[in-house]
Amino acid sequence: MKVLRIILGDQLSAGISALRGLNQESDIVLMMEVMAENTYVPHHKQKIVLVLSAMRHFAEELRQDGVTVDYVALDEPQNTGGLTTEVQRAVARLAPDRLVVTEPGEWRVRDMVDGWEAATGLPVEVRADDRFFASRARFADWAGGRRVWRMEHFYREIRREHGILMEDGQPAGGVWNFDAENRKKLPASTLAPARLRFAPDAITRAVMTLVEGRFGGNFGEVEEFGWPVTRADALRALSDFIAAGLPRFGDYQDAMKAGAPFLFHSLLAPALNLGLLSPREVCEAAEAAWRAGAAPLNAVEGFVRQVLGWREYVRGVYWTLMPEYAERNALHATRPLPEFYWTGDTKMRCVREAVSSTARFAYSHHIQRLMVTGNFALLAGIAPREIERWYLAVYADAYEWVEMPNTLGMAVFADGGQMASKPYAASGAYIDRMSDFCGGCRYDVKQKSGPDACPFNYLYWAFLIRQTERLGGNQRLAMPYRTLAGWTAERKAAVVAEADGFLDGLEG
Ligand code: FAD
Ligand code: DLZ
Ligand code: SF4
């Protein structure tokens, strides 16, 4: 019995379910670089380099372990450009008896895999992806029957179930949540630590040349590529984070600083999402640092909350609500994405900072994504599908299963409250409190209206005024709506007109 075992680009884990029971005498592993996966959104150049280089390294490692790998390179002349047609071509070439694959992370690819039996005439075994704390069934079980889903409830159950940061059945330190301690502004004198980046080796350099040749017009710079592309490098990145980032990860989790996009963040999402690291091992490494006295509990709990909490939760939301989730637009937002999301050509310094680190590193941290580019998209009423495709394209860690709920649910409230109890709408005051951006901005964060006023200020109030019907009853927005109740109709109309003037200018 010859089994063709298919490994997709984000399934680069030695222990992945599709490889279990592999017979080195008879089985073949198929890996395919295809144009369709490289063009379904206009990926950042570094993202393409990352995925293809990591795939090539993984194939090499399998070969060194004695596994037969059939690897289809992107520039191979016979390459048909799609996963399904490449599977068909491999079946004709290799004559296997059956196919085995681990369930893909994205709905779009799952839909393709469901057609492979018909496309090849062979049995296809689709195995669960068990590289997560919670299976899809576990999430569905938790979500079923609950009217409201909240990450906090799910997080506590999963943490308890897996014994992460637990002591005698209770959360370590006696409380589940240290969020209140994790919102400190970064003192001007605090410098971000230097972070480990990985110099491209020969394989990565070859992919960089390929990407410059085939995707030279795509967004982003390729020169500063420094992401880990092997498990060994990913483990070094994890150690670097535990030593350099984790101790202050909690305190400055929400802080932003000009010219310092990484701060104390882990930079591990690209490696986690490719499968080079497992969520369990990164949580265990963080917990071990706390137990060894090398990192405080607020930092370690904050990190575990992101990985074991948010990451697992958004995956559950995605798989439970797709495919209709992709179409949601609860706030009826329709504006096209402004050009400055691609060029960074805007006078708003906070947006410029976020877009420039995105172009340079295929990275910006969570608060930049949520409270700068995401907040702007929310306040400006940008069509959810447009901003969602942007996030999917521009980050090294972007895969639809994690990106879409973060964008539609967290950033632009397009799901009407499935993910978050209120929109993360904020005026310039929030950005000023959490960053040093405003001091060097052409706009004045203290001014509420006029040509020098920070656009986030009038956009914020205009957003609330426009959305009164949909959001006015939200208890968590009671305070700003109480403020608005004291405004005259003229004052409201003037703010909306100012916001409209600014937004119309973006399209000119
Ligand atoms: P850290 O701040 O160090 O966090 C540690 C880890 O926790 C991350 O590596 C990640 O695995 C996980 N994590 C943290 N926050 C989240 C979250 N909200 N959802 C899921 N996992 C989380 N994350 C992605 O991995 N891929 C995406 O495509 C993606 N798109 C996003 C889009 C928007 C609009 C927003 C607001 C957030 C998005 N995130 C995404 C979540 C988060 O911003 C990134 O995981 C994080 O910035 C990656 O950097 P880091 O590894 O340094 O994270
Ligand atoms: C993101 C990506 C890219 C850029 N290229 C490939 C590829 O050439 N071959 C491949 O198997 N996977 C690639 N990927 C990741 C896929 O899009 C990934 O399989 C899905 O995101 C998971 O469903
Ligand atoms: Fe951003 Fe407004 Fe601050 Fe300028 S003043 S950096 S636009 S928040």
Side-chain angles (χ1 to χ4, degrees):
M1 175 74 84
K2 185 198 263 188
V3 183
L4 186 63
R5 296 170 183 270
I6 297 158
I7 297 293
L8 297 168
D10 57 355
Q11 298 182 337
L12 311 182
S13 319
I16 188 112
S17 57
L19 295 180
R20 277 178 217 151
L22 178 138
N23 181 338
Q24 292 202 357
E25 304 303 313
S26 54
D27 295 355
I28 299 177
V29 168
L30 174 66
M31 297 179 71
M32 306 157 279
E33 295 178 0
V34 294
M35 273 309 266
E37 293 307 305
N38 286 279
T39 52
Y40 64 85
V41 286
H43 302 289
H44 192 299
K45 285 183 222 162
Q46 285 192 33
K47 180 176 169 194
I48 301 180
V49 173
L50 173 66
V51 176
L52 301 191
S53 174
M55 286 176 71
R56 290 180 184 196
H57 280 92
F58 187 72
E60 267 323 298
E61 285 167 13
L62 287 178
R63 285 186 181 124
Q64 275 162 21
D65 286 346
V67 176
T68 306
V69 181
D70 192 285
Y71 194 95
V72 181
L74 195 71
D75 44 10
E76 200 175 285
Q78 291 81 19
N79 190 330
T80 54
L83 289 174
T84 300
T85 48
E86 277 311 294
V87 168
Q88 285 175 310
R89 209 164 63 84
V91 165
R93 183 168 70 241
L94 305 165
D97 299 298
R98 63 189 188 92
L99 310 183
V100 172
V101 64
T102 296
E103 62 192 356
E106 298 184 353
W107 182 270
R108 180 181 57 80
V109 184
R110 172 73 217 215
D111 207 36
M112 282 182 222
V113 169
D114 286 343
W116 285 357
E117 281 200 353
T120 62
L122 293 178
V124 178
E125 184 188 347
V126 182
R127 295 184 177 171
D129 187 348
D130 50 17
R131 298 174 299 168
F132 293 86
F133 283 100
S135 66
R136 292 180 195 173
R138 177 69 184 87
F139 184 89
D141 210 35
W142 174 84
R146 275 171 205 261
R147 200 177 52 81
V148 185
W149 300 349
R150 287 293 166 253
M151 195 290 288
E152 185 68 34
H153 305 149
F154 175 73
Y155 165 66
R156 292 180 188 188
E157 271 191 30
I158 301 300
R159 215 174 111 186
R160 198 192 293 277
E161 217 162 271
H162 291 269
I164 304 283
L165 278 184
M166 299 297 295
E167 287 181 326
D168 302 326
Q170 295 304 312
V175 287
W176 290 100
N177 190 325
F178 291 84
D179 272 358
E181 292 178 36
N182 290 356
R183 296 191 185 115
K184 295 197 179 86
K185 182 171 177 159
L186 192 70
S189 58
T190 304
L191 297 179
R195 302 302 297 278
L196 190 60
R197 307 285 292 163
F198 298 86
D201 66 1
I203 293 179
T204 302
R205 284 199 304 275
V207 180
M208 287 164 81
T209 306
L210 171 80
V211 167
E212 283 294 20
R214 301 283 291 264
F215 305 98
N218 281 29
F219 174 74
E221 297 158 25
V222 86
E223 298 75 26
E224 297 223 37
F225 184 90
W227 296 105
V229 293
T230 63
R231 170 144 175 87
D233 282 352
L235 285 169
R236 289 173 60 213
L238 173 58
S239 300
D240 176 62
F241 165 63
I242 298 288
L246 183 64
R248 285 179 286 179
F249 176 87
D251 286 354
Y252 303 123
Q253 198 174 340
D254 288 2
M256 298 177 279
K257 186 178 170 78
F262 303 146
L263 288 179
F264 303 98
H265 290 272
S266 72
L267 317 183
L268 293 177
L272 277 166
N273 295 348
L274 284 172
L276 300 178
L277 293 173
S278 82
R280 179 180 296 276
E281 75 188 328
V282 305
C283 288
E284 286 175 353
E287 178 166 359
W290 170 62
R291 293 197 185 275
L297 188 53
N298 70 307
V300 174
E301 190 283 320
F303 179 72
V304 166
R305 162 179 299 273
Q306 306 310 315
V307 178
L308 176 148
W310 281 110
R311 187 169 184 270
E312 301 276 329
Y313 180 71
V314 299
R315 177 173 181 258
V317 169
Y318 177 81
W319 279 104
T320 309
L321 299 177
M322 280 296 278
E324 65 82 19
Y325 194 70
E327 306 305 323
R328 296 224 188 158
N329 187 1
L331 299 181
H332 298 254
T334 55
R335 191 174 295 280
L337 188 73
E339 196 53 25
F340 63 66
Y341 275 80
W342 298 107
T343 61
D345 185 11
T346 165
K347 297 190 180 79
M348 292 179 284
R349 187 175 183 215
C350 51
V351 176
R352 219 166 52 230
E353 281 285 330
V355 174
S356 78
S357 77
T358 302
R360 195 164 159 213
F361 300 112
Y363 182 85
S364 66
H365 72 65
H366 186 65
I367 295 302
Q368 287 177 301
R369 298 187 203 192
L370 184 64
M371 299 310 295
V372 177
T373 46
N375 185 25
F376 186 88
L378 170 73
L379 301 184
I382 292 167
R385 199 63 179 162
E386 295 217 3
I387 185 68
E388 189 273 309
R389 293 289 100 175
W390 182 79
Y391 281 111
L392 187 59
V394 301
Y395 290 112
D397 54 45
Y399 297 87
E400 194 180 88
W401 65 267
V402 51
E403 173 276 331
M404 187 181 278
N406 268 297
T407 306
L408 300 188
M410 298 261 282
V412 297
F413 208 68
D415 71 1
Q418 192 92 52
M419 281 268 297
S421 52
K422 74 171 179 84
Y424 283 87
S427 68
Y430 173 87
I431 295 172
D432 191 31
R433 191 162 62 247
M434 298 314 301
S435 78
D436 62 357
F437 297 153
C438 300
C441 184
R442 173 252 176 270
Y443 295 111
D444 181 351
V445 72
K446 299 275 186 291
Q447 290 194 40
K448 307 288 179 241
S449 71
D452 295 331
C454 166
F456 281 87
N457 291 342
Y458 47 75
L459 289 176
Y460 171 75
W461 289 109
F463 165 78
L464 289 177
I465 294 165
R466 278 201 204 91
Q467 297 291 346
T468 304
E469 218 170 283
R470 299 187 184 100
L471 300 176
N474 185 316
Q475 279 315 302
R476 299 203 54 207
L477 294 174
M479 244 186 9
Y481 274 109
R482 259 201 305 277
T483 303
L484 276 178
W487 287 20
T488 61
E490 291 72 34
R491 185 170 175 196
K492 288 183 188 169
V495 167
V496 171
E498 184 158 25
D500 282 346
F502 175 82
L503 294 171
D504 291 347
L506 297 177
E507 288 164 33

